[in-house]
Amino acid sequence: LDANNLPTRGEYYTARVTKPLLGAIFSSGQELRNTLYSSASDQIVDAIGDRPVVSFTIDGSAADTAGIQLGHVLIKVNGEEVMS
């Protein structure tokens, strides 16, 4: 795990969303254990915990054009850490 207590194989990036509608649906890592994260280790899913995970994006939405993809974990919003 890295300094944020998340799996080390991911990458961090900053996305700027300027439209009022993000166009993404979030679920927790625990909620996605049997679907999106079915092949992930328990350690990875436990590290993600209740942090919001992108479980759906709308094509052409602000999330889509910002590069937000299925499985991305929301870490911070406007510099504030997100835990759930």
Side-chain angles (χ1 to χ4, degrees):
L1 302 178
D2 66 10
N4 291 311
N5 204 28
L6 292 172
T8 57
R9 295 187 322 208
E11 62 184 73
Y12 290 89
Y13 67 95
T14 300
R16 180 181 270 298
V17 177
T18 57
K19 296 181 182 180
L21 177 65
L22 182 61
I25 295 174
F26 296 91
S27 302
S28 73
Q30 300 300 327
E31 291 173 318
L32 299 172
R33 183 181 294 274
N34 295 322
T35 55
L36 182 63
Y37 290 143
S38 62
S39 62
S41 72
D42 287 341
Q43 181 183 15
I44 289 173
V45 177
D46 291 343
I48 293 168
D50 290 328
R51 289 180 189 264
V53 177
V54 177
S55 55
F56 180 81
T57 60
I58 298 170
D59 289 341
S61 68
D64 183 43
T65 57
I68 297 171
Q69 298 177 6
L70 187 67
H72 282 178
V73 180
L74 193 61
I75 306 292
K76 292 183 180 181
V77 173
N78 294 329
E80 298 291 324
E81 189 168 349
V82 176
M83 294 303 293
S84 62

